[in-house]
């Protein structure tokens, strides 16, 4: 048996999410279907983490074990030949048995695209959040500085989470200008359920002047989801990169 | 009765084409369905021309006549509220009865997007032609210079066309670099059936060195579809702009 690590991209629009669910179209379901065809038996795929319905991935990472003797490029071609056109394997690498797509994660990067141009654009309707309102980017940058660091992110996490330890470290929280709006980039050692979307929703409220940058430490200290802003929609979010220790 | 001119955009991916067909999803069908709901009777929509299945529009133009007393902005909002998310009305203008979306056209601009980056990209799969081969852009620019002007474009037109006069004028034929490839821009007084896609297919063969730029005048002179290159796929093509005499 060999262990294979794959970097995959997917358009989340027509999936109910990453994680397999009976009779639903999921990314894991598509991957396991293709692997089952190749192996003539079930093969379990493990990802760095799940993504919700509508959330995209530029660089999700998965691993699986297989007795088949294919080269990395052979795996890439075989998998891509059988996968639907909205999931693609970008890179395949043989890894040590100690590698685990979820447990070995050191950091993750998420990006969130916002279209601020006034006009609705059919071509980006599934790929950026249309938020055609004036935004104070300086205020948002000040607010971003307050979430960089190690905090208990309970206030920025869906109240549905059963995760007990909600302390995470955000290494980078930046805002970049794009052709038609802006993009948030988040790098951290881990993100709680809906954490990036709640952070983005809150930052947009800061940008609109509905909250001050200085309110961020108060929200963090309150450890209450109701203190933070709205959850931004799924379709602006991309799991951009997963970082492992070599 | 007043005549209304609308500039519309659509994502052609999930339409069988612009033109209405029974029991098929078409752009004209969606527009006429919405207008029929508003008017409680059938309203005919006339476009600058049709587009094929998978072809997109950034600036298609249509007109229709209506007895309803709405402002331009009122029309825009009412139509967009009822249209599906892959068609949008960008601009509405009241026009003179002498305006006709097809007959009054002075020029049209089409753009064609090519992704030359080697890696397949799930996010552009419906929005650019993936052609991951080295291309000689200087040779393509030389070839483009040969189609600029007034010619009989029979060789660059689907053999299925019943159009008798195949003389058209191309005012501009340019090639621009983009983030992940290149874009052809075509401005002309009219384009025959599949003309832009056959021009692009032929230019890509020039770029690959399969044809010389100097072969273009020979292809034009031969007036035979078999002399030109392959028809490039629909999903890279955008009806970008329709120009009228004020």
């Amino acid at each position: 048996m060999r262990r294979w690590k794959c970097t995959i991209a997917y358009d989340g629009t027509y999936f109910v999410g990453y994680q397999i669910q009976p009779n639903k179209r999921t990314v894991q379901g598509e991957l396991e279907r293709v692997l089952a065809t190749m192996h003539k038996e079930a093969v379990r795929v493990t990802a760095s983490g799940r993504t919700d319905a509508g959330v995209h991935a530029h660089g999700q990472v998965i691993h699986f074990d297989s007795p088949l003797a294919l080269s990395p490029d052979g795996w890439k071609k075989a998998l891509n030949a059988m996968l639907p056109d909205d999931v693609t394997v970008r890179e395949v690498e043989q890894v040590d048995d100690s590698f685990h797509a979820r447990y070995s994660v050191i950091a993750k990067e998420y990006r969130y695209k916002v279209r601020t141009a006034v006009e609705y654009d059919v071509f980006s309707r599934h790929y950026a959040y249309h938020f055609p309102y004036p935004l104070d980017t300086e205020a948002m940058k000040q607010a971003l500085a307050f979430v960089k660091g190690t905090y208990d992110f309970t206030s920025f996490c869906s109240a549905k989470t059963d995760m007990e330890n909600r302390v995470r470290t955000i290494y980078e929280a930046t805002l970049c200008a794009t052709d038609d709006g802006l993009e948030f980039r988040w790098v951290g050692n881990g993100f709680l359920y809906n954490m990036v979307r709640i952070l983005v929703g809150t930052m947009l409220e800061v940008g609109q002047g509905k909250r001050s940058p200085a309110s961020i430490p108060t929200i963090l200290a309150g450890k209450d989801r109701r203190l933070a802003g709205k959850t931004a929609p799924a379709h602006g979010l991309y799991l951009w990169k997963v970082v492992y220790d070599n």
Side-chain angles (χ1 to χ4, degrees), chain A:
Chain A
M1 291 292 264
R2 287 173 183 169
R3 181 158 289 189
W4 296 95
K5 172 191 175 191
C6 302
T7 304
I8 66 170
Y10 46 85
D11 176 341
T13 310
Y14 300 106
F15 290 105
V16 299
Y18 170 80
Q19 188 173 258
I20 205 159
Q21 291 181 47
N23 306 314
K24 297 272 174 72
R25 190 168 187 268
T26 63
V27 178
Q28 186 184 359
E30 292 297 324
L31 292 164
E32 294 192 355
R33 180 185 57 75
V34 166
L35 287 169
T37 304
M38 289 177 73
H39 291 79
K40 299 185 178 70
E41 63 176 343
V43 176
R44 174 49 51 110
V45 168
T46 303
S48 72
R50 54 182 93 167
T51 54
D52 280 340
V55 174
H56 310 295
H58 170 73
Q60 168 71 290
V61 173
I62 57 135
H63 84 253
F64 63 87
D65 295 321
S66 169
L68 301 183
L70 272 79
S71 67
D73 201 53
W75 275 112
K76 181 174 167 173
K77 283 183 178 142
L79 294 169
N80 283 333
M82 289 190 279
L83 284 167
D85 70 356
D86 50 357
V87 191
T88 190
V89 175
R90 292 175 48 207
E91 209 186 332
V92 181
E93 226 183 311
Q94 194 188 332
V95 287
D96 203 85
D97 278 1
S98 64
F99 175 87
H100 189 284
R102 186 161 78 252
Y103 303 139
S104 309
V105 173
I106 285 179
K108 277 187 177 181
E109 178 174 351
Y110 281 92
R111 296 192 179 179
Y112 194 98
K113 292 182 198 284
V114 181
R115 176 176 161 87
T116 54
V118 173
E119 196 169 275
Y120 170 74
D121 173 44
V122 290
F123 302 107
S124 60
R125 72 193 187 284
H126 297 136
Y127 307 111
Y129 176 30
H130 190 212
F131 195 78
Y133 309 103
L135 290 171
D136 179 342
T137 53
E138 279 317 305
M140 290 193 286
K141 285 177 181 177
Q142 286 171 34
L144 287 169
F146 284 116
V147 294
K148 214 172 132 175
T150 303
Y151 298 102
D152 182 315
F153 282 97
T154 298
S155 297
F156 292 97
C157 157
S158 167
K160 282 181 265 176
T161 308
D162 47 11
M163 181 76 69
E164 283 187 23
N165 178 2
R166 291 154 186 191
V167 175
R168 296 292 182 277
T169 301
I170 295 185
Y171 304 121
E172 282 179 46
T174 54
L175 185 60
C176 315
T178 60
D179 278 356
D180 60 358
L182 42 91
E183 185 174 279
F184 291 93
R185 298 185 182 179
W186 307 89
V187 181
N189 65 350
F191 292 90
L192 300 161
Y193 187 52
N194 277 357
M195 180 168 151
V196 177
R197 291 167 56 190
I198 298 168
L199 282 165
V200 169
T202 307
M203 293 298 151
L204 292 173
E205 292 176 16
V206 169
Q208 289 188 289
K210 293 182 178 173
R211 298 170 182 271
S212 70
S215 70
I216 301 292
T218 315
I219 298 171
L220 281 167
K223 295 180 194 173
D224 181 344
R225 168 68 187 91
R226 291 167 298 179
L227 298 173
K230 285 189 192 132
T231 306
H235 65 277
L237 184 61
Y238 296 71
L239 171 51
W240 199 259
K241 198 179 174 179
V242 186
V243 182
Y244 297 93
D245 189 7
N246 279 19

